[in-house]
Amino acid sequence: MMIINILFKKYIIMYFAIINFITFIVFALDKIYAIKKKWRYKEISLLGMCFVGGAIGGFLAMYLFRHKTKKKLFVIGVPLIIIINLIIFIFFIK
């Protein structure tokens, strides 16, 4: 039972690390596409990636690349989703 618990926690940590990395990359790509006036990711897709665990990566990309920082939905929504993500993360790790 203890081994299963340790593996479960390991996979949860890996999941959050991977989804945050992917979300960071997608936000960065969306910024590059915006500059080049190419096809873009839908805002609901960006927020969805934040909601399923990638909010920290999205937040870092937002302010590192100055992307979506003028949109209230992102400026307010992503930090709120970070709080939700942290609560879920802590719940699964305990």
Side-chain angles (χ1 to χ4, degrees):
M1 183 69 171
M2 187 175 196
I3 293 173
I4 293 171
N5 194 16
I6 292 169
L7 285 174
F8 179 72
K9 288 180 182 181
K10 179 181 174 181
Y11 288 127
I12 291 294
I13 292 168
M14 286 176 26
Y15 171 79
F16 273 94
I18 291 167
I19 193 66
N20 275 287
F21 177 74
I22 292 169
T23 304
F24 181 88
I25 296 300
V26 170
F27 268 74
L29 287 172
D30 194 56
K31 176 62 176 191
I32 292 167
Y33 296 157
I35 292 168
K36 293 183 177 185
K37 299 189 187 303
K38 291 187 174 184
W39 175 86
R40 307 270 308 276
Y41 291 96
K42 294 180 180 179
E43 289 183 351
I44 193 72
S45 298
L46 296 172
L47 288 171
M49 292 183 75
C50 289
F51 190 74
V52 297
I56 293 173
F59 183 82
L60 292 174
M62 276 176 57
Y63 288 97
L64 183 64
F65 302 115
R66 286 186 260 149
H67 187 51
K68 302 288 186 191
T69 56
K70 293 183 180 178
K71 298 213 170 217
K72 283 187 179 183
L73 184 61
F74 283 83
V75 173
I76 295 169
V78 173
L80 288 175
I81 296 171
I82 288 174
I83 294 167
I84 294 167
N85 284 178
L86 289 173
I87 291 168
I88 292 168
F89 181 78
I90 291 167
F91 174 77
F92 279 117
I93 293 300
K94 280 192 170 186

